[in-house]
Amino acid sequence: LGQIQRGDYDGIIMAYSCLEMIPLSEECLMEQLEQKIEELDASLEKAYHSPGICAALEREKAYIKKQIFGLIGTLKGYTEAVPLTFDRLEIDTLFVDEAHNFKNIPLRSNLRRISGVNITGSKKCLEMLHKVRCVQESDQGRGVVFATGTPLCNSISDAYAMQMYLQYDQMKETHLDRFDNWVKSFTDPERIWEIDVDTSKYRLVRRFARFFNLPELSKLFSQIAAFHAVDDKEGVPRLERYSDVILPRNAALQGYMDQLCQRSEKIRARKVDKTSDNMLKVSIDGRKAALDLRLVGQEQPGGESSKVWRCVQQVVEIYKEHDGCSQIIFCDYSTPRTEKFNIYHELKQGLMEQGVPSTEIAFIHSCHSEAEKVWLFEKVNRGAVRVLLGSTFKLGIGANVQTRLKAIHHLDVPWRPSDMVQREGRILRRGNRYQEIKIFRYIAEGSFDSYSWQLLETKQRFISQFLSGSEYQRSASDLEENVLTYAQVKALAISQPLMKVLAEKENELRRLRMLSNNHAHTQEAQRQTIAAQEERSTILKGRLEATERNASYVGGISEDGFQAAYKNVEAILTEDVILGRTASPTELSVLGFGIAIPGVGQQNAKKPYIVLSRNGADYTIDMGRSSAGNARRVVNFLKRFHELPKRIEEQRDECLREIERLKELNQEANPYLDDMRSLEEEIERIRSKIT
C-alpha cells in the first residue's frame, strides 16, 4: 500500500479480494456519518411539528449509526496489519468491473415480504458504497465508473442500487435516496398468481409486477448509464431460435412431484419443524429432481426421459457434424466432488461411450488457479478440448472460449436472468468462427422446470421493459420479447401446447408493437432533435459572426501588445483569485476581452477555468495553479484566435447536414402496422379455440 501511495501510477489493477482488504479509516467513516446526521438534523428542524416524521428520522439516525459503527468495529483487526487506509491512498478515480456483484446494498425500508427484494444487503456492498462515496467527495460527485453487461440482474432494487452508487447527490435532492420513496415513484407491489414451488397449483405472492413513470426513471438512469446493444453487424454469431429439448412426463418423476406436494402441504400447515423441512428444501429437491431423480435418491428412467441421455445425444450429433468445433454444457447442480453420483461424471461417461475421447472432455472445476483456466481456455479455442462442462459461477463470467464454439447446453435453469445472459454470452460474442450457433435448453414436462422458468420470467420483466427499448412508455406490465422467450419454455414445461402457440403469437405481436412504438418514439425524438439543432444552428451563426469580428480585431494586435497583456494577466490571474479565495476587481479585461471568473460554488476546483467575452461571444479557457502559466494560456489562446471561425463554421455545417439527414428519416412511414393487424386477428382465433 505504501508503494501505491508513493508511486506515480496512471492506474492500479487489483482483484476484489485485495480491495476488500483495504479498509476506510475511522476518520473518513465518521465524516460520512456526521454529514448524514447533519442532513437528518436539518430535516428534524423542519418537521418539528410532526411527531411521526420526527420519530422516523430518529430511527433513521440510529440505523445509520449502527451501520457506520459496525464498519468501524471491523477496523480494529486491520489497524496494525494495514497501516494505510483507502482514503489515504489518494485514489481519484475508481473503476469497478462486473459491478453487478456489488448491487446488494442494505435498503432502509418499511416494506416487508416483497418477493425478490433483499432488505438486509451485504457487508462487502456497504463497504463499496462508502469507498465510492469517499472518491466522489474528493471529485465533486464524479470519479467512479461501473462496468457490467447486466446492470439489472435479479430484481427491481438493482436499479436503485446503481443509482445510489453513481448519482447519490441527485437522488438526495429528489428524495429518492429513501427506497420507499423510490418504490412509490416507479412501482407498486401487487399480489399476483404464480405456479407454486411444487408445480401442482397456483398461489398468491406480493411482487413488483407493474411499473410506471418509466420515462422519468429512464431519463434519470440514463444520466449514469450508457447502454450498448449488440447487433449482427458487429460480428456476433446469429441465433435463429432456441432448441428446446422436451422430456416427456414419466411416472417416476410424477410420483416424486406428488411427494413434494405432500411435503409442502405439511410445511404450510406448520406440521413440521422448519429446521427439518422447509420450502427452500422443497425448491432445491424439486430442481434436482427435474435434473435427475438419482440426485434425490430415486430411480431415473433412461432414454427419452433422461436429461443426461438426451444431452449426450445432442452433443455427439454436433460433435460429429462439425469437425473441430467445441461445445459447453452448463449445469449448476451436482458438480464434481459434491456426491458419489454427479451429473458431470455421468455426462463424461456417456460421451466416452459414444466415442468422444476423454482427453477432449474437460471440467472447469479441475482448474484451481487463473493460470490453469487460461491454459484450459486456450485448449478449447484451438480444438484440443471439444466439450467443456461448468457451472454459471465458474464458467459463465470471464471465459473467452468462443473461437470454435458451436453450441451450448442448459441442463438446468439458474435463478437469475443475468446468469442466463452471462452463460449465453460465452457464445454470442465476437471472435467466433461460426456465423450460426445453437443453444439447447432441456425441459422436463411436469417438473420443477416450470417454476424455475417462471422465476426467470418474473425477474426479467422489469429488466426487459427497462433495457429493451420500451422504457419510454408511461407504464408497463406486459412481458417483453426476452421475457416471453422464458414464458414459452414455461408453457412447454407445464404441457400446454396451445398456450405455447398463443405465447409465440403474442410474443411476435408485442415485438411488432415495440418496434412500432419505437418507430413513433424515434420520429418524435427526431423532430425534437431537429428543433434543437435548428436552434443550435442559429446560435452558431451568431457566434460565427461575432467571432469573425473578434478575429479581425485580434489580428491587429502587435507583439508588444501581447507582451503587455501577458504581464497584466500574470498579475491578475493568481490561484487565489481563480479559486475565489481572494476577491478580484469588479471588472477584469485583457486586450478588449472581458474576463469572467466563476464565483464560489460554481468554479471547478479540480479543473478551474475563466471565460473571455467580446461582442456577445464567450470563450472558455482552462486554468492551472501557476499565474505565469495562466497568462501564457490566455495569450496563446488569443494568438491562435484566427483558427476559431473555421472551427465554428465546420460545427455549423455539420449541424445543418444533421438537420437534413433527420428530416429525410422523419418522412419514413410506419412499416409494422399491417403485420400487427394480421397478428391481432390470428391471436383472436387462437383464443377462441382455447375458450
Side-chain angles (χ1 to χ4, degrees):
L1 292 181
Q3 188 176 0
I4 292 176
Q5 187 188 43
R6 294 188 299 270
D8 182 18
Y9 300 109
D10 292 327
I12 301 161
I13 301 174
M14 66 175 67
Y16 293 147
S17 55
C18 296
L19 180 64
E20 291 169 8
M21 293 173 64
I22 307 174
L24 284 162
S25 68
E26 182 174 344
E27 293 81 2
C28 179
L29 290 172
M30 288 302 297
E31 284 179 10
Q32 293 189 22
L33 172 61
E34 290 170 2
Q35 181 180 352
K36 190 65 179 177
I37 295 300
E38 287 177 4
E39 294 173 3
L40 291 173
D41 285 339
S43 299
L44 277 170
E45 292 178 5
K46 297 177 183 178
Y48 69 92
H49 59 283
S50 177
I53 295 178
C54 290
L57 291 172
E58 289 293 348
R59 288 194 299 270
E60 185 79 8
K61 287 170 65 174
Y63 172 77
I64 293 169
K65 287 179 179 178
K66 181 179 178 181
Q67 275 192 333
I68 298 291
F69 287 132
L71 289 177
I72 291 175
T74 63
L75 293 175
K76 296 179 180 178
Y78 286 110
T79 305
E80 295 181 1
V82 186
L84 286 174
T85 53
F86 180 83
D87 47 296
R88 295 180 183 132
L89 294 179
E90 299 181 356
I91 293 174
D92 55 15
T93 306
L94 182 65
F95 290 86
V96 182
D97 194 18
E98 303 296 350
H100 57 271
N101 290 323
F102 295 93
K103 67 180 180 59
N104 199 19
I105 63 173
L107 303 176
R108 183 67 174 141
S109 173
N110 293 324
L111 296 172
R112 294 293 183 270
R113 297 180 181 176
I114 303 295
S115 296
V117 176
N118 182 352
I119 299 294
T120 307
S122 70
K123 179 176 172 290
K124 78 166 187 176
C125 296
L126 179 61
E127 286 184 344
M128 176 61 77
L129 190 63
H130 285 289
K131 287 174 180 175
V132 164
R133 203 75 75 239
C134 174
V135 173
Q136 290 170 334
E137 286 175 356
S138 63
D139 197 13
Q140 297 184 323
R142 302 176 65 84
V144 178
V145 178
F146 275 21
T148 173
T150 49
L152 312 180
C153 59
N154 193 42
S155 76
I156 189 173
S157 60
D158 299 347
Y160 171 81
M162 292 297 171
Q163 290 179 289
M164 287 296 287
Y165 275 117
L166 300 178
Q167 57 183 160
Y168 175 69
D169 290 340
Q170 188 168 357
M171 294 284 280
K172 187 169 60 176
E173 289 173 5
T174 54
H175 305 291
L176 293 176
D177 54 324
R178 176 76 180 212
F179 183 63
D180 290 4
N181 292 342
W182 191 92
V183 168
K184 290 174 184 176
S185 299
F186 302 116
T187 186
D188 188 32
E190 291 184 0
R191 293 176 67 83
I192 61 174
W193 289 100
E194 283 187 350
I195 299 174
D196 204 346
V197 290
D198 58 19
T199 73
S200 66
K201 52 188 175 296
Y202 288 82
R203 64 172 180 175
L204 274 172
V205 297
R206 286 186 79 207
R207 283 191 183 277
F208 292 123
R210 183 170 183 80
F211 312 98
F212 46 84
N213 293 334
L214 292 181
E216 289 76 13
L217 178 57
S218 174
K219 185 176 181 180
L220 192 64
F221 196 72
S222 64
Q223 294 174 13
I224 59 166
F227 299 113
H228 176 66
V230 178
D231 57 37
D232 297 337
K233 297 178 182 178
E234 297 181 338
V236 176
R238 185 171 64 89
L239 174 66
E240 185 171 339
R241 63 179 177 82
Y242 287 96
S243 301
D244 293 323
V245 180
I246 311 302
L247 285 73
R249 289 175 179 266
N250 64 81
L253 180 57
Q254 188 61 54
Y256 188 75
M257 296 307 297
D258 291 340
Q259 293 179 32
L260 290 185
C261 291
Q262 296 170 12
R263 285 172 57 186
S264 65
E265 290 297 339
K266 290 181 180 179
I267 294 168
R268 296 273 172 83
R270 299 184 179 179
K271 293 182 179 179
V272 294
D273 187 270
K274 63 181 180 181
T275 58
S276 60
D277 200 10
N278 52 60
M279 295 312 293
L280 177 60
K281 290 184 178 181
V282 170
S283 301
I284 293 173
D285 289 345
R287 289 167 66 87
K288 287 182 177 179
L291 181 58
D292 195 296
L293 283 167
R294 285 171 289 186
L295 297 175
V296 290
Q298 307 286 317
E299 288 294 326
Q300 171 64 49
E304 294 293 322
S305 298
S306 168
K307 281 190 178 181
V308 171
W309 187 85
R310 296 288 295 275
C311 181
V312 167
Q313 305 309 309
Q314 294 290 348
V315 170
V316 171
E317 181 180 335
I318 293 175
Y319 176 90
K320 293 178 179 178
E321 183 179 351
H322 301 277
D323 186 36
C325 77
S326 58
Q327 301 178 66
I328 290 179
I329 303 175
F330 280 107
C331 182
D332 289 345
Y333 276 93
S334 187
T335 57
R337 300 188 302 276
T338 54
E339 57 269 326
K340 292 182 180 179
F341 167 82
N342 67 74
I343 296 297
Y344 281 61
H345 287 107
E346 194 73 7
L347 283 166
K348 183 175 182 178
Q349 185 63 35
L351 291 169
M352 291 168 58
E353 291 174 0
Q354 294 286 333
V356 181
S358 62
T359 55
E360 295 184 1
I361 306 169
F363 301 161
I364 189 65
H365 300 75
S366 301
C367 299
H368 303 292
S369 68
E370 286 299 318
E372 290 180 355
K373 281 186 180 181
V374 171
W375 174 238
L376 175 59
F377 295 161
E378 192 274 331
K379 291 173 70 177
V380 174
N381 283 327
R382 60 183 168 86
V385 170
R386 300 281 304 278
V387 183
L388 179 60
L389 290 83
S391 62
T392 306
F393 178 74
K394 288 185 174 291
L395 189 57
I397 299 175
N400 295 314
V401 291
Q402 70 274 11
T403 304
R404 297 170 179 263
L405 202 53
K406 179 63 180 178
I408 63 172
H409 305 257
H410 297 301
L411 266 192
D412 54 12
V413 191
W415 284 112
R416 305 182 304 177
S418 62
D419 294 334
M420 293 295 290
V421 173
Q422 294 287 4
R423 280 185 178 190
E424 293 172 2
R426 299 316 98 208
I427 193 169
L428 293 170
R429 64 196 299 122
R430 289 187 292 257
N432 194 328
R433 64 167 57 181
Y434 293 103
Q435 295 302 309
E436 295 186 3
I437 51 90
K438 293 185 177 182
I439 297 178
F440 292 89
R441 301 183 295 195
Y442 298 81
I443 306 114
E445 282 187 336
S447 76
F448 202 78
D449 283 345
S450 58
Y451 179 65
S452 301
W453 283 109
Q454 177 184 262
L455 279 179
L456 284 185
E457 170 190 307
T458 303
K459 293 175 181 179
Q460 181 71 17
R461 181 178 299 166
F462 173 75
I463 299 169
S464 177
Q465 291 166 345
F466 196 69
L467 301 181
S468 68
S470 58
E471 70 276 6
Y472 55 85
Q473 298 178 16
R474 174 56 50 191
S475 63
S477 59
D478 290 338
L479 306 184
E480 301 287 355
E481 182 179 17
N482 293 350
V483 177
L484 280 171
T485 300
Y486 298 137
Q488 290 174 11
V489 178
K490 185 180 70 173
L492 290 171
I494 58 179
S495 300
Q496 295 177 343
L498 199 56
M499 290 296 295
K500 173 182 176 291
V501 175
L502 179 61
E504 289 174 345
K505 298 299 180 182
E506 289 180 337
N507 178 28
E508 178 64 14
L509 179 59
R510 283 178 172 83
R511 188 183 72 85
L512 290 176
R513 281 177 176 166
M514 185 180 72
L515 292 172
S516 177
N517 290 338
N518 272 341
H519 183 271
H521 176 64
T522 300
Q523 287 198 319
E524 175 59 28
Q526 287 169 352
R527 286 190 286 270
Q528 294 178 6
T529 304
I530 289 170
Q533 291 284 52
E534 287 176 340
E535 182 180 354
R536 180 168 178 260
S537 174
T538 302
I539 293 172
L540 286 172
K541 180 181 179 182
R543 180 175 175 80
L544 176 60
E545 293 172 352
T547 302
E548 286 175 339
R549 293 198 301 271
N550 292 338
S552 176
Y553 164 77
V554 173
I557 299 175
S558 65
E559 185 62 30
D560 290 340
F562 283 123
Q563 290 297 328
Y566 176 89
K567 294 178 180 178
N568 291 336
V569 173
E570 183 180 15
I572 295 172
L573 296 182
T574 64
E575 179 181 0
D576 289 339
V577 169
I578 291 173
L579 296 179
R581 299 171 187 156
T582 302
S584 62
T586 54
E587 293 186 6
L588 297 177
S589 64
V590 55
L591 297 177
F593 284 79
I595 300 177
I597 300 174
V600 178
Q602 296 178 324
Q603 180 64 278
N604 187 331
K606 294 286 185 180
K607 297 179 179 179
Y609 65 96
I610 64 169
V611 178
L612 298 188
S613 60
R614 189 174 187 276
N615 287 327
D618 294 337
Y619 311 96
T620 301
I621 304 177
D622 293 333
M623 293 285 103
R625 304 293 182 183
S626 164
S627 57
N630 292 335
R632 179 54 56 197
R633 289 184 179 92
V634 172
V635 170
N636 287 343
F637 172 80
L638 292 173
K639 284 185 175 181
R640 292 194 296 268
F641 199 90
H642 62 278
E643 301 172 0
L644 274 180
K646 183 179 179 181
R647 292 206 296 267
I648 296 173
E649 187 175 12
E650 289 174 350
Q651 292 173 6
R652 185 166 183 264
D653 290 343
E654 177 62 29
C655 184
L656 293 172
R657 286 193 294 270
E658 181 68 5
I659 290 171
E660 291 303 315
R661 186 185 71 84
L662 291 173
K663 284 182 176 179
E664 186 175 336
L665 289 174
N666 205 248
Q667 300 301 317
E668 295 179 358
N670 191 326
Y672 308 106
L673 296 178
D674 291 340
D675 291 339
M676 285 168 55
R677 281 191 288 268
S678 177
L679 264 177
E680 286 170 351
E681 294 172 359
E682 190 173 357
I683 287 170
E684 283 303 315
R685 288 195 295 270
I686 296 173
R687 284 176 176 167
S688 64
K689 290 180 181 179
I690 294 175
T691 304

